[in-house]
Amino acid sequence: MTGTITTRGHHGHHVSDTRSREDAGRRLLQKLLVTVVAGGVVYVLTTVLAPTAEDVWQLVLSVLCGGAVLIVQFMVTFAHQLNDLKSSVDKRFVDIGRATKLFNEVEKLRGDAVPRLAESATLVVSTGPEILHDFAHEEINRLALQMDDLTNLTAECPGENHDWLLSLTKCAQRSIDAISTSVDQNFWSTEPAGRYLESQREAIDARGIKVRRLFVVRAPEDIPRLADVFKEQRDVRIEVRVVALSSLPLHARRGKMIDFIIFDGALSYEIGADQLSVNSWTTVNAREDDVQQRIRRFNELWNAGEGGSPDGGPEPAVS
C-alpha cells in the first residue's frame, strides 16, 4: 500500500513538472510572437511614413521597438511574479504566526497528549486502508467539535457516555456527589458499573476523594431491593443514602429529578432520559449557576434521606 502511494506521488510530480515546462515554453513563444509582430508593424509604419529613408534605419528602428516590447513584457511578467512572491511570503508569515500561536497554546496543556495525537494522526492517515483514514478523520473531527463545545463550558452527546464518566472520576481531586434515580438502577449490574466503582475506589484510596451517592426510589417498599448495591458501594467506602419520593415533602418533590454527578463542586455530569425512561443524552456542564443549582438540589435530597438504609436501620458509619 505504501509503495503504491509513493509511486503515484512521484508520477504526479513528474506530470506537474512537465506541465510547468510546457506552460513556460508557451508563454515564451507568445512573447516572441508579440515582439515579432510589434517589430513588423514598426517596420511597415516607417516604410509608409518615411519611404525615402534607408532600409537599414527602418530595420534598426523595428528591432529596437520589438526589443523594447519584449523587455516590457518581461518586466510585466517579473512584476506579476514579484507580486505573487510577496503574497506567498505574506501568507507564509501568517501561517508562521498561526503556528507559533498554536504552539504557545499547546504548551499550556498538561503532558504530551496533544503532540502525540498530532504525530499518531499523521502516521495513521499515511498507512493502512482508506476506511482507516476516514475513521481517523471522523474521530479527530469529533474531538475537535467536543473541544469547541467545551469552550462554552458545556458539551452534550447522545446516550450515556461511560468514557466521560471514567475520565471525570480520574480527574476529580476533592469530591464526587451523585444522585442515582430509578432510571439508573439497572446500570449497577453492568460491566461499565464495575469499572466505574473500581475507578472510584482508586480515587478514594489514592487521592482521598470523598464520594457520596444518593439513591432515589419511588416508594419505601423499593428500598430493600438496593441491599446488594448498597453493600458493594459501602465496601469501597462510598457514603450511601436512599430516599423515597413518596416520603419527601411536597416542595422537595417539585424539583427536577434526574441522574447527575457533581465533580469537585465545579462540574456536573447529567444524564437525560426520554419518556420511556431510557438514557438518551449526556451533558457535562461547568457553568457556575447551573452547577450551583445541582449542588443545592443534591444537598436538599441528601439531607432528606439522612439515616436511610435498605434494611430500614441506621446508616453505617463510613471511615
Side-chain angles (χ1 to χ4, degrees):
M1 182 68 181
T2 305
T4 304
I5 294 174
T6 303
T7 302
R8 288 178 181 174
H10 288 169
H11 178 69
H13 286 305
H14 176 70
V15 172
S16 178
D17 292 341
T18 301
R19 289 178 179 174
S20 297
R21 287 195 295 269
E22 290 177 352
D23 291 340
R26 191 179 299 110
R27 287 193 295 270
L28 179 59
L29 180 60
Q30 290 174 349
K31 289 182 177 66
L32 293 176
L33 287 175
V34 171
T35 301
V36 171
V37 170
V41 169
V42 171
Y43 183 80
V44 170
L45 288 175
T46 54
T47 301
V48 172
L49 296 175
T52 59
E54 296 183 7
D55 291 342
V56 63
W57 291 109
Q58 294 173 345
L59 181 62
V60 169
L61 185 60
S62 62
V63 170
L64 289 175
C65 290
V69 170
L70 182 63
I71 292 174
V72 169
Q73 290 182 86
F74 276 113
M75 290 181 66
V76 171
T77 301
F78 177 73
H80 285 307
Q81 292 177 343
L82 190 62
N83 186 61
D84 292 341
L85 178 62
K86 179 179 180 298
S87 300
S88 178
V89 171
D90 290 342
K91 184 177 182 300
R92 292 298 181 186
F93 274 116
V94 171
D95 292 341
I96 291 172
R98 290 174 179 172
T100 303
K101 180 180 178 181
L102 179 60
F103 180 77
N104 291 334
E105 293 298 324
V106 168
E107 279 191 324
K108 299 176 184 178
L109 300 177
R110 295 178 299 177
D112 59 345
V114 174
R116 283 194 295 112
L117 173 63
E119 182 178 0
S120 299
T122 302
L123 292 175
V124 168
V125 298
S126 62
T127 59
E130 190 68 23
I131 190 172
L132 181 63
H133 304 170
D134 295 339
F135 175 67
H137 283 299
E138 284 299 318
E139 286 297 292
I140 293 172
N141 290 336
R142 180 185 60 81
L143 180 60
L145 289 173
Q146 181 177 313
M147 293 299 106
D148 287 341
D149 289 341
L150 288 177
T151 59
N152 296 317
L153 303 182
T154 183
E156 184 176 297
C157 74
E160 187 171 0
N161 195 314
H162 297 132
D163 291 334
W164 284 1
L165 189 59
L166 293 177
S167 295
L168 287 169
T169 303
K170 183 178 180 181
C171 294
Q173 297 296 322
R174 297 189 304 275
S175 64
I176 299 175
D177 294 331
I179 284 185
S180 180
T181 67
S182 57
V183 175
D184 203 32
Q185 300 303 315
N186 295 329
F187 168 72
W188 300 108
S189 60
T190 65
E191 187 274 336
R195 289 189 285 119
Y196 179 38
L197 283 176
E198 177 61 21
S199 179
Q200 290 175 97
R201 184 193 64 77
E202 293 175 357
I204 293 170
D205 293 343
R207 303 191 300 279
I209 302 295
K210 181 179 181 181
V211 182
R212 298 185 295 175
R213 177 161 291 107
L214 176 69
F215 288 91
V216 180
V217 297
R218 298 183 183 278
E221 54 266 26
D222 296 326
I223 295 178
R225 301 174 187 173
L226 296 173
D228 292 338
V229 176
F230 267 51
K231 183 180 185 304
E232 182 181 32
Q233 303 222 0
R234 282 176 172 155
D235 284 345
V236 297
R237 294 188 293 139
I238 296 175
E239 279 191 68
V240 183
R241 291 185 184 178
V242 63
V243 64
L245 284 176
S246 61
S247 302
L248 287 174
L250 185 59
H251 72 275
R253 278 182 276 171
R254 289 196 185 102
K256 195 173 183 180
M257 196 64 65
I258 62 171
D259 285 60
F260 64 83
I261 308 169
I262 305 166
F263 293 89
D264 287 347
L267 181 146
S268 67
Y269 169 98
E270 305 170 10
I271 302 172
D274 59 18
Q275 295 179 349
L276 299 177
S277 296
V278 176
N279 293 338
S280 298
W281 66 88
T282 302
T283 303
V284 292
N285 191 342
R287 294 172 178 168
E288 186 175 359
D289 290 344
D290 296 336
V291 174
Q292 289 302 317
Q293 289 180 8
R294 297 289 177 263
I295 292 174
R296 287 193 294 269
R297 182 60 171 161
F298 176 85
N299 290 334
E300 179 184 32
L301 295 175
W302 180 262
N303 293 332
E306 187 173 359
S309 67
D311 57 6
E315 181 183 3
V318 179
S319 57

Coordinates of all heavy atoms in Angstrom, one line a residue, residues 166-201:
L166 N -15.7 7.9 33.4 CA -14.4 7.4 34.0 C -13.3 8.5 33.9 O -12.6 8.6 34.9 CB -14.0 6.2 33.1 CG -14.8 5.0 33.3 CD1 -14.3 3.9 32.3 CD2 -14.9 4.5 34.7
S167 N -13.3 9.3 32.9 CA -12.3 10.4 32.8 C -12.5 11.4 33.9 O -11.6 11.9 34.6 CB -12.4 11.1 31.4 OG -12.0 10.2 30.4
L168 N -13.8 11.8 34.1 CA -14.0 12.8 35.2 C -13.7 12.2 36.6 O -13.2 13.0 37.4 CB -15.5 13.2 35.1 CG -15.9 14.1 33.9 CD1 -17.4 14.3 33.8 CD2 -15.2 15.5 34.1
T169 N -14.0 11.0 36.8 CA -13.6 10.3 38.1 C -12.1 10.4 38.3 O -11.6 10.6 39.4 CB -14.2 8.9 38.1 OG1 -15.6 8.9 37.9 CG2 -13.9 8.3 39.5
K170 N -11.4 10.1 37.2 CA -9.9 10.1 37.3 C -9.4 11.5 37.6 O -8.4 11.7 38.2 CB -9.4 9.6 36.0 CG -7.9 9.5 36.0 CD -7.4 8.9 34.6 CE -5.8 8.8 34.6 NZ -5.4 8.2 33.3
C171 N -10.1 12.6 37.1 CA -9.7 14.0 37.2 C -10.1 14.6 38.5 O -9.5 15.6 39.0 CB -10.2 14.8 36.1 SG -9.6 14.4 34.4
A172 N -11.1 14.0 39.2 CA -11.6 14.6 40.5 C -10.5 14.6 41.5 O -9.7 13.7 41.7 CB -12.8 13.8 41.0
Q173 N -10.4 15.7 42.3 CA -9.4 15.9 43.3 C -10.0 16.0 44.7 O -9.3 15.8 45.7 CB -8.6 17.1 43.0 CG -7.8 17.1 41.7 CD -6.8 16.0 41.7 OE1 -6.1 15.7 42.7 NE2 -6.6 15.3 40.6
R174 N -11.3 16.4 44.8 CA -11.8 16.6 46.2 C -13.1 15.8 46.5 O -13.1 15.1 47.5 CB -12.2 18.1 46.3 CG -11.0 19.0 46.2 CD -11.3 20.4 46.6 NE -12.4 21.0 45.8 CZ -12.2 21.5 44.6 NH1 -11.0 21.6 44.1 NH2 -13.2 22.0 43.9
S175 N -14.1 15.8 45.6 CA -15.3 15.2 45.9 C -16.1 14.8 44.7 O -15.9 15.3 43.6 CB -16.2 16.2 46.7 OG -16.5 17.3 45.9
I176 N -17.0 13.8 44.9 CA -17.9 13.3 43.9 C -19.2 13.1 44.6 O -19.3 12.3 45.5 CB -17.4 12.0 43.2 CG1 -16.1 12.2 42.6 CG2 -18.5 11.5 42.3 CD1 -15.5 10.9 42.0
D177 N -20.2 13.9 44.2 CA -21.6 13.7 44.8 C -22.5 13.3 43.7 O -22.6 14.0 42.6 CB -22.0 15.1 45.4 CG -21.2 15.5 46.6 OD1 -20.7 14.6 47.3 OD2 -21.1 16.7 46.8
A178 N -23.2 12.2 43.9 CA -24.1 11.7 42.8 C -25.5 11.3 43.2 O -25.7 10.9 44.4 CB -23.4 10.4 42.2
I179 N -26.4 11.6 42.3 CA -27.8 11.1 42.6 C -28.1 10.1 41.5 O -27.9 10.3 40.3 CB -28.8 12.3 42.4 CG1 -28.7 13.2 43.7 CG2 -30.2 11.8 42.2 CD1 -29.7 14.3 43.7
S180 N -28.6 8.9 42.0 CA -29.0 7.8 41.1 C -30.5 7.6 41.2 O -30.9 7.1 42.3 CB -28.2 6.6 41.5 OG -28.5 5.5 40.6
T181 N -31.2 7.8 40.2 CA -32.7 7.6 40.2 C -33.0 6.2 39.7 O -32.2 5.4 39.4 CB -33.4 8.7 39.4 OG1 -33.1 8.4 38.0 CG2 -33.0 10.1 39.8
S182 N -34.3 6.0 39.7 CA -34.8 4.7 39.2 C -34.4 4.4 37.8 O -34.3 3.2 37.4 CB -36.3 4.6 39.4 OG -37.0 5.6 38.7
V183 N -34.2 5.5 37.0 CA -33.8 5.3 35.6 C -32.4 4.6 35.6 O -32.1 3.8 34.6 CB -33.7 6.7 34.9 CG1 -33.1 6.5 33.5 CG2 -35.1 7.3 34.9
D184 N -31.6 4.8 36.6 CA -30.2 4.3 36.6 C -30.0 3.0 37.4 O -28.9 2.5 37.5 CB -29.3 5.4 37.2 CG -27.9 5.3 36.8 OD1 -27.6 4.8 35.7 OD2 -27.0 5.6 37.6
Q185 N -31.1 2.4 37.9 CA -31.0 1.3 38.8 C -30.3 0.1 38.1 O -29.5 -0.7 38.7 CB -32.3 0.8 39.3 CG -33.0 1.9 40.2 CD -32.2 2.4 41.3 OE1 -31.6 1.7 42.0 NE2 -32.1 3.8 41.5
N186 N -30.7 -0.2 36.8 CA -30.2 -1.4 36.1 C -28.7 -1.2 35.8 O -28.0 -2.2 35.4 CB -31.0 -1.6 34.8 CG -32.4 -2.0 35.1 OD1 -32.7 -2.6 36.1 ND2 -33.3 -1.6 34.2
F187 N -28.2 0.0 35.8 CA -26.8 0.2 35.5 C -25.8 -0.5 36.4 O -24.8 -1.0 36.0 CB -26.5 1.7 35.6 CG -25.1 2.1 35.5 CD1 -24.3 2.0 34.3 CD2 -24.4 2.6 36.6 CE1 -23.0 2.3 34.2 CE2 -23.0 2.9 36.6 CZ -22.3 2.8 35.4
W188 N -26.2 -0.7 37.7 CA -25.3 -1.2 38.7 C -25.0 -2.7 38.5 O -24.1 -3.2 39.2 CB -25.8 -0.9 40.1 CG -25.9 0.6 40.3 CD1 -27.0 1.3 40.4 CD2 -24.8 1.5 40.4 NE1 -26.7 2.7 40.5 CE2 -25.3 2.8 40.5 CE3 -23.4 1.4 40.3 CZ2 -24.6 4.0 40.6 CZ3 -22.6 2.5 40.4 CH2 -23.2 3.8 40.6
S189 N -25.7 -3.4 37.7 CA -25.4 -4.8 37.4 C -24.6 -5.0 36.1 O -24.4 -6.1 35.7 CB -26.7 -5.6 37.3 OG -27.5 -5.1 36.3
T190 N -24.2 -3.9 35.5 CA -23.5 -4.0 34.2 C -21.9 -3.9 34.4 O -21.4 -3.5 35.5 CB -23.9 -2.9 33.3 OG1 -23.5 -1.6 33.8 CG2 -25.4 -2.9 33.1
E191 N -21.2 -4.3 33.3 CA -19.8 -4.3 33.4 C -19.2 -2.8 33.5 O -18.3 -2.6 34.2 CB -19.2 -4.9 32.1 CG -17.7 -5.1 32.1 CD -17.0 -3.9 31.5 OE1 -17.6 -3.2 30.8 OE2 -15.8 -3.8 31.9
P192 N -19.8 -1.8 32.8 CA -19.3 -0.5 33.0 C -19.4 0.0 34.4 O -18.6 0.8 34.9 CB -20.2 0.4 32.0 CG -20.6 -0.6 31.0 CD -20.8 -1.9 31.7
A193 N -20.5 -0.5 35.1 CA -20.6 -0.1 36.6 C -19.5 -0.6 37.4 O -19.0 0.1 38.3 CB -21.9 -0.6 37.1
G194 N -19.0 -1.8 37.1 CA -17.8 -2.4 37.8 C -16.6 -1.5 37.6 O -15.8 -1.3 38.5
R195 N -16.4 -1.1 36.3 CA -15.2 -0.2 36.1 C -15.3 1.1 36.7 O -14.4 1.7 37.2 CB -15.0 -0.1 34.5 CG -14.6 -1.3 33.8 CD -14.2 -1.1 32.4 NE -15.4 -0.9 31.6 CZ -15.7 0.2 30.9 NH1 -14.9 1.2 30.9 NH2 -16.8 0.2 30.1
Y196 N -16.6 1.6 36.8 CA -16.8 2.9 37.4 C -16.6 2.8 38.9 O -15.9 3.7 39.5 CB -18.3 3.3 37.1 CG -18.7 4.6 37.8 CD1 -17.8 5.7 37.9 CD2 -20.0 4.8 38.3 CE1 -18.2 6.9 38.4 CE2 -20.4 6.0 38.8 CZ -19.5 7.0 38.9 OH -19.9 8.2 39.5
L197 N -17.0 1.8 39.6 CA -16.8 1.6 41.0 C -15.3 1.4 41.3 O -14.8 1.9 42.3 CB -17.6 0.4 41.5 CG -19.1 0.6 41.8 CD1 -19.8 -0.7 42.2 CD2 -19.3 1.7 42.8
E198 N -14.6 0.7 40.4 CA -13.2 0.5 40.6 C -12.5 1.8 40.5 O -11.5 2.1 41.3 CB -12.7 -0.5 39.6 CG -11.2 -0.8 39.7 CD -10.7 -1.4 41.0 OE1 -11.5 -1.9 41.7 OE2 -9.5 -1.2 41.3
S199 N -12.9 2.6 39.6 CA -12.3 4.0 39.4 C -12.5 4.8 40.6 O -11.6 5.6 41.1 CB -12.8 4.6 38.2 OG -12.3 5.9 38.0
Q200 N -13.7 4.7 41.2 CA -14.0 5.5 42.4 C -13.2 5.0 43.6 O -12.7 5.7 44.5 CB -15.5 5.4 42.8 CG -16.4 6.2 41.8 CD -17.8 6.0 42.0 OE1 -18.5 6.8 42.7 NE2 -18.4 4.9 41.6
R201 N -13.0 3.7 43.7 CA -12.2 3.1 44.8 C -10.8 3.6 44.7 O -10.2 4.0 45.7 CB -12.2 1.6 44.7 CG -11.5 0.9 45.8 CD -11.2 -0.6 45.6 NE -10.4 -0.8 44.4 CZ -9.1 -0.6 44.4 NH1 -8.4 -0.2 45.5 NH2 -8.3 -0.8 43.3

